[in-house]
Amino acid sequence: MSMSYRPTPGGQARIADYLRAAGLAQIESRGDDIALAIGDFLEAMSEKVAIHDPASLYSYPIPMLGEDGACSVVDELAPVPYDLSVILGGRAEQTTRRLALLERLVERAQETTGSDWVGIYQRRVNPAGTPVLVKLAYVGRPSRAEFPLTQAFAEGSSNSTVGLTGRALVIDDVGKHVEAGGGFYVCDAEVQSEACLPLLDDDRSVLGIIDAEAKPRAFFGPRRLARLAALALVVPAVLP
């Protein structure tokens, strides 16, 4: 599929504004790196994306959930895959194209950061009427599809916390984070580092989040965070 659509995240001023809004002071000096990474993501999207099976973009496996809503036995999948078309209001050609581009973006982010897991979530209201973060595209192990945007759920979820606050959360040691009372939703017990960044519109309202996880501790240093900030600046223009 050939795409002429190109998001225009803007220049250094917009980068700086995003970093301030997201609370990413630790990479405020990395504006040039972020700009280069934005160019790399745009280039990745400009390549032809062959969609052999559009239906696959709307469906993915999810783990079984325990009674407390957490992932249950490792690698135990729910019998029915998650159907994105329900919360997206059905399938449409433009939506399919955008999901394909988001898939390309998470693949490129995973390639260039070395993360074990990368995902893009959008803020939407599910059929039950609950505001949630819904996973649109990811690379890595199967994981939860929807994260409720409630204060109660955020107590045990970094994704929901960032979705509610619009402030990035970088965890260098999951064990110490949890011991200190921080929320972390476990679907892979080997994960020890996480970087969760908000997707913001021009008014700084939260459109969604990007989430990256890795097994080594202290994985998301300035270089990888700059790459993820670039992704967070590109993604909003591609959301369905």
Side-chain angles (χ1 to χ4, degrees), residues 46-206:
S46 71
E47 301 168 1
K48 288 186 177 181
V49 180
I51 304 176
H52 301 294
D53 181 15
S56 68
L57 295 169
Y58 292 88
S59 177
Y60 51 76
I62 52 175
M64 291 285 287
L65 301 181
E67 292 183 3
D68 59 354
C71 290
S72 61
V73 181
V74 175
D75 295 330
E76 183 180 351
L77 298 178
V80 179
Y82 185 79
D83 183 1
L84 256 178
S85 65
V86 176
I87 201 168
L88 296 182
R91 299 181 188 177
E93 183 180 353
Q94 185 185 65
T95 302
T96 301
R97 288 200 302 268
R98 290 180 177 235
L99 290 176
L101 288 173
L102 292 173
E103 188 174 81
R104 172 63 61 85
L105 287 173
V106 293
E107 289 171 351
R108 185 62 180 154
Q110 196 271 340
E111 290 169 4
T112 54
T113 64
S115 303
D116 292 300
W117 197 95
V118 181
I120 294 171
Y121 299 75
Q122 185 178 22
R123 182 187 180 107
R124 283 187 174 258
V125 176
N126 67 14
T130 304
V132 297
L133 293 169
V134 61
K135 188 173 62 182
L136 300 179
Y138 75 101
V139 286
R141 295 177 62 166
S143 61
R144 186 185 183 101
E146 296 180 9
F147 283 82
L149 284 171
T150 64
Q151 196 59 50
F153 198 87
E155 290 179 4
S157 165
S158 47
N159 285 4
S160 295
T161 298
V162 175
L164 286 173
T165 65
R167 304 282 286 182
L169 185 59
V170 181
I171 300 173
D172 288 330
D173 187 322
V174 167
K176 290 182 178 179
H177 175 75
V178 173
E179 285 176 11
F184 185 82
Y185 186 89
V186 178
C187 266
D188 183 348
E190 295 183 11
V191 167
Q192 291 300 322
S193 295
E194 180 183 35
C196 189
L197 279 61
L199 302 174
L200 304 174
D201 66 12
D202 292 339
D203 296 323
R204 298 189 176 184
S205 296
V206 180

Side-chain angles (χ1 to χ4, degrees), residues 37-50:
I38 287 172
D40 181 68
F41 283 124
L42 294 178
E43 183 178 350
M45 285 196 297
S46 71
E47 301 168 1
K48 288 186 177 181
V49 180

